[in-house]
Amino acid sequence: MGYNVVVVGATGNVGREMLNILAERLFPVDKIAVLASRKSLGTEVSFGDKTLKTTDLDTFDFTGWDMALFAVGSEATKQYAPLAAKAGCVVIDNSSLYRYDADVPLIVPEVNPEAIHDYAKKNIIANPNCSTAQMVVALKPLHDRARIKRVVVSTYQSVSGAGKEGIDELWDQTKSIYNPTDNKPPRKFTKQIAFNVIPHIDVFMEDGSTKEEWKMVAETKKIIDKSIKVTATCVRVPVFVGHSEAINIEFEDHLDEDEARDILREAPGVMVIDKREDGGYVSPIECVGDFATFISRIRQDSTIDNGLNLWCVSDNLRKGAALNAVQIAELLGREVLKKG
Ligand SMILES: NC(=O)c1ccc[n+]([C@@H]2O[C@H](COP(=O)([O-])OP(=O)(O)OC[C@H]3O[C@@H](n4cnc5c(N)ncnc54)[C@H](OP(=O)(O)O)[C@@H]3O)[C@@H](O)[C@H]2O)c1
């Protein structure tokens, strides 16, 4: 016996990837529904070797469905997730709406699987921001060994993190550069993204940081340990898929770079590729379609007592969103619903 699963936002980047991953990981599905907005009614999406047609979220009845994997923006989530939860269908949400709610667990299964048992307070579980998810997978095993005091992270985030419109804008703008009559001014992004980088993701906060940077701080604390100090600079780069992060970590205890490499080699969800030679590291294009968070360039930071630098790359549509959501669904099934 398997689960009755709803994928909400099935025509989007994350929704499509959730369907791929449910099929790839042979998630025990009895019945599946794929939902999007009314304008996409009947749009075909793939689920393994099947083709499914989307139905309208607005008229869907969640009664009798076990779990709903939501990948729509916060606004639609606010309207529909409580309806699903109230109907007894557990919501696993990719938006930022519930991440900071004390009654909603924020889960990365490799890091804080025990939080799953808090799901029942609202029947909702939150999935973290894409940049946070890959970073905490790398930080947790190191924190367990040497206690992290402070993290300084700079991100290089792909345009797929901004949804379908982000991908289209980079594609169209890149082509238009070679065809000067075909002007494609910025719409989704605040400046030209083709052949450029933009140090601005999400809205500005009062202190001059952006909401994306704030999310990395707040979510790392909620998922791993509230005592960890994080400072972030989040940058959009002209890469279609795959987020990269340069991470500097200060520990309470000494941690040798060789030991850190060994710890990360054993860590769940992590793949270490770290040869000190040309090409002996992972770049975003190589992580696309993979489940792992890749760590390279592990080295001591000699400017502080207990410091390390590393380079962290992952497929933002997978570990940063869809894979993590499916892993939460697996955890929920294994630990709570126990049907499969
Ligand atoms: N992309 C990432 O790396 C990433 C990572 C973590 C979290 N997230 C979050 O995941 C969510 C989805 O992101 P995405 O990148 O997949 O966006 P996307 O490619 O723009 O897709 C959005 C999806 O939401 C649906 N939708 C939007 N408003 C709706 C409404 N009112 N009713 C029904 N369906 C509606 C769209 O359906 P139509 O096609 O019918 O419009 C589409 O299926 C967002 O909350 C995002 O912040 C994304």
Side-chain angles (χ1 to χ4, degrees), residues 167-186:
I167 292 186
D168 291 345
E169 188 153 314
L170 175 59
W171 177 246
D172 293 339
Q173 230 172 47
T174 304
K175 286 188 297 178
S176 79
I177 301 280
Y178 295 101
N179 180 6
T181 55
D182 184 18
N183 182 30
K184 293 282 180 207

Side-chain angles (χ1 to χ4, degrees), residues 284-306:
I285 216 157
E286 295 153 290
C287 76
V288 176
D290 221 301
F291 287 149
T293 292
F294 292 90
I295 308 293
S296 309
R297 307 287 325 276
I298 302 165
R299 63 208 188 277
Q300 225 78 48
D301 172 4
S302 59
T303 65
I304 48 176
D305 280 345
N306 300 316

Side-chain angles (χ1 to χ4, degrees), residues 18-237:
M18 289 197 300
L19 287 164
N20 291 337
I21 294 172
L22 286 167
E24 275 172 43
R25 292 170 74 96
L26 303 175
F27 188 82
V29 171
D30 253 9
K31 209 164 66 161
I32 189 155
V34 287
L35 313 183
S37 73
R38 190 164 301 154
K39 78 170 164 39
S40 312
L41 191 69
T43 300
E44 293 188 340
V45 293
S46 302
F47 174 55
D49 54 9
K50 296 192 184 76
T51 301
L52 310 174
K53 286 192 174 170
T54 58
T55 50
D56 181 10
L57 167 63
D58 196 40
T59 53
F60 189 77
D61 180 1
F62 287 90
T63 312
W65 294 84
D66 295 304
M67 47 179 97
L69 279 60
F70 268 66
V72 291
S74 293
E75 224 169 281
T77 305
K78 194 174 185 176
Q79 188 175 350
Y80 299 102
L83 300 178
K86 200 166 168 217
C89 173
V90 183
V91 171
I92 298 169
D93 179 33
N94 274 283
S95 83
S96 58
L97 186 69
Y98 291 104
R99 289 181 195 153
Y100 319 106
D101 184 325
D103 291 334
V104 173
L106 177 64
I107 300 181
V108 174
E110 295 90 340
V111 177
N112 62 338
E114 66 288 346
I116 194 76
H117 297 287
D118 296 333
Y119 86 99
K121 290 181 188 160
K122 283 202 170 157
N123 239 12
I124 298 175
I125 300 162
N127 212 28
N129 179 262
C130 38
S131 344
T132 311
Q134 68 185 69
M135 184 171 80
V136 296
V137 166
L139 293 184
K140 177 66 165 55
L142 302 177
H143 182 61
D144 287 346
R145 159 64 182 80
R147 310 292 303 166
I148 295 173
K149 280 165 67 175
R150 178 170 183 257
V151 174
V152 183
V153 56
S154 300
T155 70
Y156 307 72
Q157 297 181 222
S158 69
V159 294
S160 57
K164 290 183 287 191
E165 292 171 6
I167 292 186
D168 291 345
E169 188 153 314
L170 175 59
W171 177 246
D172 293 339
Q173 230 172 47
T174 304
K175 286 188 297 178
S176 79
I177 301 280
Y178 295 101
N179 180 6
T181 55
D182 184 18
N183 182 30
K184 293 282 180 207
R187 286 160 61 101
K188 181 74 183 170
F189 301 112
T190 49
K191 296 203 179 219
Q192 177 184 316
I193 185 64
F195 305 99
N196 201 11
V197 297
I198 305 173
H200 172 195
I201 301 178
D202 211 331
V203 295
F204 275 93
M205 313 278 289
E206 257 182 26
D207 68 353
S209 61
T210 64
K211 187 84 183 281
E212 185 81 354
E213 291 156 358
W214 177 86
K215 286 174 192 169
M216 291 191 80
V217 176
E219 293 177 22
T220 303
K221 286 176 181 291
K222 183 165 176 178
I223 296 168
I224 306 185
D225 188 332
K226 62 179 183 322
S227 71
I228 297 177
K229 293 179 185 162
V230 179
T231 181
T233 301
C234 294
V235 180
R236 189 71 74 194
V237 298

